[in-house]
Amino acid sequence: MIVLKFGGTSVKDQAAIARLIEIVRTPAPNAAVVVSALAGVTDRLLGIAAAAAAGEGGEALASIEGLRQRHHAVAGIVADAELHRDVSESIDREFAALAETVTALVTLRETAPRWVDAIAATGELVSSRIVAAALTSHGVPAEWVDARRVVVTNDEFGSAAPDMDATFAAIASACRPVLAAGRVPVVGGFVGASARGITTTLGRGGSDFSGALVGAALDADEIQIWTDVDGMLTADPRLIDDPRVVPHLSFAEASELAHFGAKVLHPATIQPAMARDIPVRILNSQRPSEPGTLITSGEVAMPPGHGVTAIASKSGITVLNITSTRMVMAHGFLRRLFEVFERHKTAVDVVTTSEASVSVTVDDRRRLPAIVADLSAFAEVSSDGDMAIVCAVGDALPSNAAAAGEILSALHGVPLRMVSQAASRRNVTIVLRAADLRTALSRLHERFVTTESAVS
Ligand code: ADP
Ligand code: ASP
Ligand code: MG
């Protein structure tokens, strides 16, 4: 069986859902579906949470009403009268509950993370109900499965981590009977609940991760990520004019690209797929006959030339420089330093060291002030905001001894803040000013992708 995950643009309106139905019809009933919220809805819901915290009740409630109407309009695709009535009632129920929550929060002037998650989860809870009813009413029998019953997480609201064993068991026991009855289970992505039953979310873009969890739990033959681009591209299409589709990636390459900013895949997606060796395919729901990108275990045939498969990038990065003339050479310093990040549950992406200083990059700024305060207890700390990461990835990079040099020479004249190549040597990662990102990316893309394919 196949697990198909559809992102926000792939369920954004009736036309998108009509395409989804045709895509699912082929593998059904040997299929399970995971869906995101309709495009833009999660941003709107987070805006509603922020308005509630600011005491702007009128604005928040108007926004909820707008969302309710948009979902009703999309639910118009459910042709069967009874199914349409059921789904309409559930839309009204979800948005009435949301309005109640928001009204209470406006009075309290607070939005603790657990309430933000309860609000944000609304998007996937309603989109998945609409998609389940739409499939059934168009001849693909489907059944809604409540993500809060099957994705069991810790209570790290906003970026909750699933308990894999409990989640796999719950997905299997909820979905297997549905599949056995010849129906397609439809689960909202991004959403879970703690063991105590409190709603959580897996972090922005987390529906891909949900798709992989469902795929692994059901031992799927393939996990398909249906989105709005033709596959994993050689660079971010918002920054580069002529990116190419990468036809085949290894799990390791895909994981590096996702981790360093290729938004088409949530960084956690690969892990459950890799653990069970399930191929992942990235496909365009608007051009379903395009081959997309296939991600499998094992190294992929070497690309021509320099060995760069694709280049990931992300901005909004902060560099922390941690200096201690007394401590750096003393053993135990790095342990102390990284304990601070562990305590504040903040991941560090790139690390470089010199004799007296360590530089690290941080993507998630939420706990930065507390981190800086704790580090300052034993070192001097300075920070540079508005930085970016560019990361050239390729399984074949290690076989090109000149790769790092060629990458650096392509960036001649661009001030580089940090340079790193990990032991796997599958990537060369550069930290620079966000203002220089576009220039750096287009130089690397021109040199390693455009020119290479012209030669080959
Ligand atoms: P979905 O809603 O389907 O999950 P996302 O917006 O999360 O879609 O991810 C798809 C987007 O990722 C693309 O529209 C593209 O702008 C962006 N993106 C960034 N880097 C890449 C890349 N290397 N390859 C493909 N898409 C990328
Ligand atoms: N709807 C969520 C988001 O916008 C999750 C997802 O789309 O993957 O982040
Ligand atoms: Mg996404």
Side-chain angles (χ1 to χ4, degrees):
M1 58 90 55
I2 292 177
V3 172
L4 302 95
K5 176 267 168 177
F6 292 87
T9 45
S10 305
V11 292
K12 69 174 182 201
D13 52 23
Q14 288 196 18
I17 296 181
R19 285 191 293 270
L20 173 154
I21 293 167
E22 293 320 310
I23 291 167
V24 177
R25 197 185 294 283
T26 311
N30 295 313
V33 169
V34 175
V35 290
S36 292
L38 314 192
V41 167
T42 307
D43 286 338
R44 286 285 294 278
L45 290 166
L46 294 174
I48 288 166
E56 291 153 7
E59 193 183 304
L61 292 175
S63 196
I64 291 173
E65 177 53 20
L67 285 178
R68 190 184 71 85
Q69 287 177 16
R70 176 170 170 206
H71 284 82
H72 274 299
V74 174
I77 190 165
V78 180
D80 177 271
E82 198 176 323
L83 286 171
H84 184 257
R85 198 192 55 232
D86 288 353
V87 83
S88 300
E89 277 172 17
S90 62
I91 292 170
D92 285 340
R93 223 179 313 119
E94 285 294 341
F95 284 104
L98 178 62
E100 241 175 70
T101 305
V102 165
T103 306
L105 295 173
V106 169
T107 314
L108 298 170
R109 288 273 178 125
E110 76 131 75
T111 38
R114 96 171 244 192
W115 294 112
V116 177
D117 273 9
I119 293 169
T122 309
E124 271 73 6
L125 292 176
V126 273
S127 68
S128 53
R129 280 196 178 89
I130 296 172
V131 166
L135 282 164
T136 306
S137 94
H138 287 82
V140 185
E143 188 169 321
W144 183 67
V145 172
D146 188 340
R148 295 165 296 188
R149 275 179 45 222
V150 299
V151 178
V152 186
T153 71
N154 64 9
D155 57 7
E156 187 61 31
F157 298 103
S159 53
D163 171 335
M164 295 293 181
D165 291 340
T167 299
F168 289 165
I171 292 172
S173 73
C175 296
R176 288 214 187 277
V178 177
L179 288 162
R183 291 193 295 275
V184 173
V186 179
V187 191
F190 179 57
V191 174
S194 68
R196 289 188 300 139
I198 314 288
T199 303
T200 56
T201 66
L202 306 179
R204 294 308 304 268
S207 293
D208 298 336
F209 190 20
S210 307
L213 292 172
V214 173
L218 298 176
D219 212 9
D221 298 309
E222 185 166 296
I223 296 164
Q224 299 182 343
I225 305 290
W226 290 88
T227 184
D228 60 355
V229 282
D230 284 346
M232 177 67 79
L233 303 172
T234 46
D236 189 332
R238 294 165 297 183
L239 299 173
I240 290 290
D241 291 333
D242 57 348
R244 316 287 161 86
V245 178
V246 183
H248 194 181
L249 285 169
S250 68
F251 281 134
E253 288 174 315
S255 186
E256 299 273 2
L257 289 166
H259 182 74
F260 287 108
K263 185 185 170 230
V264 69
L265 210 57
H266 183 276
T269 313
I270 291 302
Q271 190 246 324
M274 196 160 111
R276 304 224 167 168
D277 202 6
I278 303 172
V280 176
R281 211 182 276 275
I282 305 176
L283 294 151
N284 189 341
S285 66
Q286 295 175 48
R287 288 151 42 101
S289 53
E290 289 295 312
T293 297
L294 177 65
I295 307 168
T296 56
S297 59
E299 290 200 2
V300 172
M302 196 158 133
H306 303 269
V308 175
T309 304
I311 307 160
S313 58
K314 60 180 173 180
S315 45
I317 301 295
T318 302
V319 175
L320 289 182
N321 309 298
I322 301 136
T323 310
S324 168
T325 38
R326 283 177 302 121
M327 289 291 292
V328 165
M329 291 306 284
H331 57 253
F333 177 75
L334 287 176
R335 177 180 52 74
R336 225 174 141 186
L337 191 156
F338 286 117
E339 268 171 4
V340 171
F341 290 92
E342 192 185 342
R343 199 158 53 241
H344 293 285
K345 297 188 175 123
T346 297
V348 158
D349 285 330
V350 188
V351 181
T352 57
T353 64
S354 69
E355 196 222 339
S357 78
V358 178
S359 296
V360 302
T361 66
V362 174
D363 186 1
D364 176 359
R365 298 177 54 89
R366 283 177 299 175
R367 287 163 170 141
L368 213 51
I371 291 170
V372 170
D374 283 7
L375 291 170
S376 301
F378 58 90
E380 277 170 35
V381 187
S382 68
S383 74
D384 299 325
D386 284 332
M387 305 297 283
I389 293 179
V390 188
C391 178
V393 174
D395 280 341
L397 269 176
S399 59
N400 174 8
E406 287 168 4
I407 289 168
L408 293 182
S409 85
L411 294 177
H412 177 75
V414 178
L416 308 182
R417 189 67 187 67
M418 292 162 74
V419 177
S420 141
Q421 183 176 49
S424 77
R425 297 193 291 140
R426 184 177 289 112
N427 75 45
V428 176
T429 306
I430 300 199
V431 180
L432 34 69
R433 293 183 313 208
D436 295 325
L437 174 60
R438 216 177 255 272
T439 310
L441 193 57
S442 44
R443 289 235 211 123
L444 291 175
H445 197 262
E446 173 67 32
R447 171 84 178 263
F448 294 101
V449 179
T450 320
T451 315
E452 281 306 319
S453 38
V455 171
S456 61

